[in-house]
Amino acid sequence: MEILPNGEKIVYSYDRSSNITHKVKIKNETIEESINYQYDISNRLIKEKCYNGSILKYNYEYKYNSLGDILEKIEYNISDEIISKEIYNYSTTNSSQLLSINKINTNNESIKIFGVVESCGQLRVRKEPNKEADVIATIPVGTLVELENDEVIDGFYAVHTEVGDGYCMAEFIQVTRPEKE
């Protein structure tokens, strides 16, 4: 059990391979969140289901290739119908090098993800996802930017800008709801 400074308790359960199978967050003696995890024979996460109390928050399934690289992340609704998929694309010359993640909804439409620049004068767009990388552009506060996906890489989002693709610090971008293409 883990007790956080705010008094919340987190209780973990594990399988024989030391994988977390269940995580429960308790606040004021009430279960606030409960997450169940399932793994395949290679100890890769294949299912993740989260509840807020008794209400389903999210339900994911993961698929992998023979090398163990993730191929798909599938999101289901409460009726186990597919809501969306993330398709992971890898290099043909270096099979473990992730090139892109495409998110599609149940109508096979690409989903664009946007964010709004917040809490800084000018957000720097960098060539690589690190603070020392070259700056290729700056974006003013309040600007809507298109994100490559909603994954954070070393504290950065991959973004599309008028001057090209780059990376911006995630802490300065508030992600908005995805939109269909």
Side-chain angles (χ1 to χ4, degrees), residues 4 11-12 46 51 54 105 114 135 149 157 162 164 175 181:
L4 303 177
V11 180
Y12 300 93
I46 56 171
Y51 294 90
S54 61
N105 65 14
F114 294 95
V135 175
N149 55 55
Y157 283 121
E162 294 175 0
V175 176
E181 219 172 283

Side-chain angles (χ1 to χ4, degrees), residues 80-129:
D80 278 337
E81 299 167 326
I82 296 175
I83 297 172
S84 67
K85 285 185 182 182
E86 289 182 3
I87 311 289
Y88 294 73
N89 302 301
Y90 296 89
S91 168
T92 55
T93 56
N94 177 358
S95 59
S96 290
Q97 180 184 5
L98 181 63
L99 296 177
S100 67
I101 303 170
N102 297 325
K103 190 166 186 172
I104 56 173
N105 65 14
T106 52
N107 298 323
N108 285 328
E109 299 168 314
S110 290
I111 298 174
K112 288 187 175 182
I113 301 171
F114 294 95
V116 177
V117 177
E118 294 184 338
S119 308
C120 66
Q122 295 280 321
L123 182 59
R124 295 179 184 103
V125 181
R126 298 186 180 275
K127 285 186 178 181
E128 300 293 329

